[in-house]
């Protein structure tokens, strides 16, 4: 099933939509990595974004299906590390909006369910994007069953990214300039001291 899913920051200043979202054209994963956990600490929303083991739910989509209609002036980006993704959020109320590569061009956007009004483990999220396919960035060696799941999740994602590229060409929506593929807003990068303070709280 495909549906248009409204996107909103928690206070309602940033609004948009994800077009045609469904299980077949998204990749639902859970991630326990330092970056995702530090990001939740940075936003001050660990309770909303992380489960008790420090995992975030993320669904990856074609960025050309994600539109922001209102409140672009409140959108900001942060990089936890100099080489990591840009994590876009609504600065008005610290709501995560989507994670991208540092520049446009590659069709890949990771969305935390909170901007669709749901916590990661809500059944509504499974209804939108299907069950979790696998753990991304596992912290510990995984048993064979989990490794097989990860393999098939990666195959699914690669197939989707190829389709998205064929369909949409060079990706720039919604956070990059169409011509230069540079970020519309310059993201801040955490200092080493800031990052280490967040990493000290990481659940491993
Ligand atoms: Zn807001
Ligand atoms: Zn992560």
């Amino acid at each position: 099933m495909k549906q248009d899913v409204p996107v909103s920051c928690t206070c309602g200043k940033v609004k948009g939509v994800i077009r045609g979202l469904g299980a077949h054209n998204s990749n639902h994963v859970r991630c326990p990595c330092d970056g995702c956990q530090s990001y939740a600490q940075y936003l001050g929303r660990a309770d909303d974004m992380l489960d008790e083991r420090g995992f975030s739910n993320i669904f990856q989509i074609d960025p050309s299906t994600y539109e922001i209609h209102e409140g672009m002036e409140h959108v900001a980006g942060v990089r936890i590390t100099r080489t990591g993704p840009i994590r876009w959020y609504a600065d008005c109320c610290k709501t995560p909006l989507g994670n991208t590569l540092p520049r446009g061009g590659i069709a890949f956007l990771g969305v935390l369910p909170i901007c669709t009004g749901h916590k990661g483990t809500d059944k509504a999220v499974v209804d939108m994007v299907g069950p979790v396919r696998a753990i991304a960035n596992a912290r510990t060696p995984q048993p064979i069953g989990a490794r097989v799941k990860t393999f098939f999740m990666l195959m699914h994602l690669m197939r989707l990214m190829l389709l998205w590229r064929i369909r949409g060409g060079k990706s720039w929506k919604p956070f990059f300039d169409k011509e230069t593929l540079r970020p519309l807003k310059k993201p801040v990068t955490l200092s080493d001291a800031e990052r280490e303070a967040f990493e000290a709280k990481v659940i491993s």
Side-chain angles (χ1 to χ4, degrees), residues 8-15 45 74 89-95 97:
S8 175
C9 68
T10 303
C11 80
K13 291 195 174 100
V14 178
K15 286 191 187 303
R45 300 200 65 169
H74 299 293
Y89 62 96
D91 199 29
C92 40
C93 56
K94 311 296 182 192
T95 303
L97 297 170

Side-chain angles (χ1 to χ4, degrees), residues 122-174:
D122 280 359
K123 181 170 179 307
V125 178
V126 174
D127 291 343
M128 282 193 307
V129 295
V132 172
R133 289 176 184 271
I135 292 170
N137 308 311
R139 307 187 75 89
T140 51
Q142 295 291 294
I144 184 73
R147 293 209 301 265
V148 169
K149 275 190 176 177
T150 301
F151 174 80
F152 281 107
M153 178 274 286
L154 290 172
M155 289 295 106
H156 174 72
L157 177 61
M158 285 171 67
R159 189 183 133 269
L160 284 179
M161 286 178 69
L162 186 63
L163 284 175
W164 297 340
R165 175 67 205 248
I166 292 167
R167 189 170 64 192
K170 280 202 170 170
S171 169
W172 54 275
K173 285 179 182 173

